[in-house]
Amino acid sequence: MPVNKELEGRVFPPTTPYLVGREKVREFARAVFAQSPLNHDPEAARAAGFADVVAPPTFAVVIQEAGLALLLAAPDTGIDFSRIVHGEQKFTSTRPIVAGDELTAILTVTSIKSLGGNDMITAETAISDAAGDHVVTATSVLVMRGTE
């Protein structure tokens, strides 16, 4: 079954708010070998003008995942998760994510293309804070491999 081309333009409902925890930021920073004191030490972060520790730029993928889960769980997409490969990832930030942020993600399928028997699904996830202000947009290209 191919990807449902009518999926292009679909906007999924907002995710449940995600409260960014200091220890989650530290764990993520260690996982990606981010060694800046801003990522680990609240005093260093405050001295630099932030409210708390600053998440590495790719931390947004943690919040984006909830939006992607809604896409992959939708029954009418034609997406076969067993054939999905992550093709591309980028982040466009308005400001850094810091511990204490409460973030919500809204995923939009912006493009579906077929190439060489594979389907390429581009999904943009706009992540906003509790005030509704944009923080980061995470864009993923998922490649659903063809059957042969």
Side-chain angles (χ1 to χ4, degrees):
M1 171 196 271
V3 172
N4 178 359
K5 303 291 188 207
E6 294 180 9
L7 194 58
E8 188 170 308
R10 184 181 298 180
V11 179
F12 285 79
T15 61
T16 302
Y18 180 95
L19 180 59
V20 178
R22 183 182 293 158
E23 290 310 313
K24 290 295 182 186
V25 170
R26 288 174 169 156
E27 290 169 2
F28 192 89
R30 284 191 296 275
V32 299
F33 302 105
Q35 298 179 359
S36 169
L38 299 178
N39 304 131
H40 300 277
D41 180 0
E43 293 306 318
R46 287 186 191 108
F50 298 99
D52 208 314
V53 292
V54 179
T58 55
F59 184 85
V61 76
V62 172
I63 293 92
Q64 177 195 26
E65 186 279 332
L68 287 171
L70 293 174
L71 167 65
L72 296 174
D76 64 337
T77 64
I79 296 174
D80 177 353
F81 186 69
S82 69
R83 296 182 7 229
I84 290 289
V85 177
H86 196 188
E88 184 178 318
Q89 181 72 51
K90 72 177 183 179
F91 302 96
T92 306
S93 297
T94 302
R95 67 165 178 85
I97 294 172
V98 298
D101 277 337
E102 187 173 293
L103 303 173
T104 302
I106 297 177
L107 182 139
T108 302
V109 176
T110 58
S111 172
I112 297 174
K113 297 178 183 170
S114 294
L115 183 65
N118 302 309
D119 291 321
M120 302 172 68
I121 306 126
T122 303
E124 288 187 2
T125 305
I127 300 171
S128 302
D129 61 21
D133 294 328
H134 178 264
V135 176
V136 61
T137 296
T139 304
S140 292
V141 177
L142 306 175
V143 179
M144 188 168 98
R145 296 175 284 118
T147 54
E148 291 295 321

